[in-house]
Amino acid sequence: MKRILLASLLALAGCNDTQESQKEVTQYQTFNAAEITLSVPVKMRAEELFEMQASFNGTVSNLQGKLEGISMDMGIVPVFFQPNNDKDNNYTTKVLLGACALPVMEWRLTLTWQQGGKAKFYQQSINVIR
């Protein structure tokens, strides 16, 4: 009985090390517009946390974001960007999206902010795989 338990524990420990060594390095794709540069992972998976970055060409305020399903109605997911203290006018957020029945889900990211006393608006379509 002790041998079976010991063998099971060793097998589980071995599986855990294998999974950690297979983690991928995140690669980003960049979308450029006149006042904003948005970076999102090339591969975004549903039900896995991923990071997005937004860089602006000047000081902004009241940055707000939301994600809405285009392929399927998944409701509205608020996106809360935080200033990146290492770089001026650079913001990051982490997002977790639910999975749906489709193998690839298209989402619309909408950002609004104030810059130079004017309201600004940006939209970008992104794909998330199941």
Side-chain angles (χ1 to χ4, degrees), residues 7-37:
S8 298
L9 289 175
L10 289 174
L12 288 174
C15 290
N16 193 19
D17 291 339
T18 304
Q19 290 173 352
E20 287 181 16
S21 66
Q22 292 178 352
K23 287 185 180 178
E24 295 179 13
V25 174
T26 303
Q27 296 180 356
Y28 287 86
Q29 59 183 334
T30 302
F31 302 99
N32 293 306
E35 297 153 332
I36 184 174
T37 299

Side-chain angles (χ1 to χ4, degrees), residues 27-44 50-56 67 106-107 109 111 113 122-127:
Q27 296 180 356
Y28 287 86
Q29 59 183 334
T30 302
F31 302 99
N32 293 306
E35 297 153 332
I36 184 174
T37 299
L38 179 70
S39 297
V40 299
V42 171
K43 289 184 180 180
M44 292 174 280
F50 60 87
E51 183 176 280
M52 292 191 293
Q53 302 169 0
S55 299
F56 296 89
L67 281 160
E106 185 177 2
W107 292 83
L109 173 66
L111 299 177
W113 68 93
Y122 177 78
Q123 284 188 328
Q124 179 63 51
S125 176
I126 60 173
N127 291 323

Side-chain angles (χ1 to χ4, degrees), residues 67-75 98-109 125-129:
L67 281 160
E68 298 175 89
I70 296 174
S71 305
M72 178 181 277
D73 183 6
M74 299 286 285
C100 71
L102 301 173
V104 178
M105 173 75 181
E106 185 177 2
W107 292 83
R108 179 184 305 116
L109 173 66
S125 176
I126 60 173
N127 291 323
V128 178
I129 58 177

